[in-house]
Amino acid sequence: MRRVIVRRSPVHGKGVFAMRPLAAGERVLEYKGEITAWRDALRRHRREGVAGHTFLFGLSDGRVIDGSRGGNSARWLNHACTPNCETIEDGGRIFIYTLRPVDSGEELFIDYLLAIDDAGDEEARAQYGCACASPECRRSMLAVAA
Ligand SMILES: [Zn+2]
C-alpha cells in the first residue's frame, strides 16, 4: 500500500499527505531529482520561471538535488518550523523519515533549513518567509545563522 499521496495543501500549493498511519522513524520517501550546482539550478529556475527554492534540496557537499528535474512526490513536501518529518542524507541521497507517529491524512512537513549565499539579503529573506502554524515559527525557511 502506498504511504503518501500528493494533493492540494491548505498551507501552500500542493502537499504530501499520509495515506495510512505512519510510525515514528519510518522511511517515507527519497528526495529524488537531478544533482547539480546551486548556481546552475538557480539560473535554470530563473530562466524557466520555476518557483525554484522549494524544489531544491541542499546536499552537504554544496550541491543540490533539483526536484523539478526527474523529481518525485517528495518535491511537494512543505516546510514547517516544527516538522513531523526529518531529512537524512545517506551516501549523497536524501531520505525522508517521520519524526513522530503520523495519522492517516496528516500533511507531512520538513524543515527546509535553506542556506543561501547572502542571508542578509532582504529580498531573499522575504522570498523565503514562513507562515506555518507553529507557535515556534521563526518566520523564515532559512537555516538560523550559526
Ligand atoms: Zn514557520
Side-chain angles (χ1 to χ4, degrees):
M1 186 180 167
R2 290 180 62 190
R3 288 190 176 86
V4 296
I5 187 170
V6 174
R7 57 181 170 82
R8 176 165 284 283
S9 164
V11 177
H12 174 79
K14 292 179 183 175
V16 179
F17 295 80
M19 285 192 77
R20 61 164 173 80
L22 302 170
E26 195 167 327
R27 183 190 281 193
V28 185
L29 280 168
E30 178 177 357
Y31 195 102
K32 290 187 175 169
E34 187 181 299
I35 295 178
T36 181
W38 263 114
R39 197 170 299 277
D40 295 341
L42 290 173
R43 194 181 297 134
R44 186 164 73 206
H45 284 192
R46 211 169 285 136
R47 194 174 61 230
E48 296 174 1
V50 179
H53 61 281
T54 58
F55 291 145
L56 298 178
F57 199 99
L59 291 168
S60 58
D61 66 4
R63 294 181 300 166
V64 294
I65 299 178
D66 184 347
S68 74
R69 294 256 167 148
N72 59 351
S73 45
R75 72 186 188 276
W76 299 112
L77 283 162
N78 278 317
H79 164 93
C81 295
T82 50
N84 52 14
C85 292
E86 66 178 336
T87 51
I88 293 177
E89 182 173 341
D90 184 5
R93 297 164 73 186
I94 297 288
F95 297 97
I96 318 294
Y97 288 82
T98 49
L99 280 166
R100 57 165 178 77
V102 173
D103 289 335
S104 180
E106 235 186 293
E107 182 167 359
L108 302 181
F109 295 99
I110 56 173
D111 188 334
Y112 285 178
L113 291 172
L114 290 171
I116 56 173
D117 292 343
D118 184 5
D121 183 326
E122 285 299 320
E123 194 183 331
R125 293 212 77 85
Q127 188 185 353
Y128 301 117
C130 180
C132 76
S134 168
E136 291 158 56
C137 181
R138 58 180 191 269
R139 307 285 167 218
S140 174
M141 298 178 192
L142 302 178
V144 178

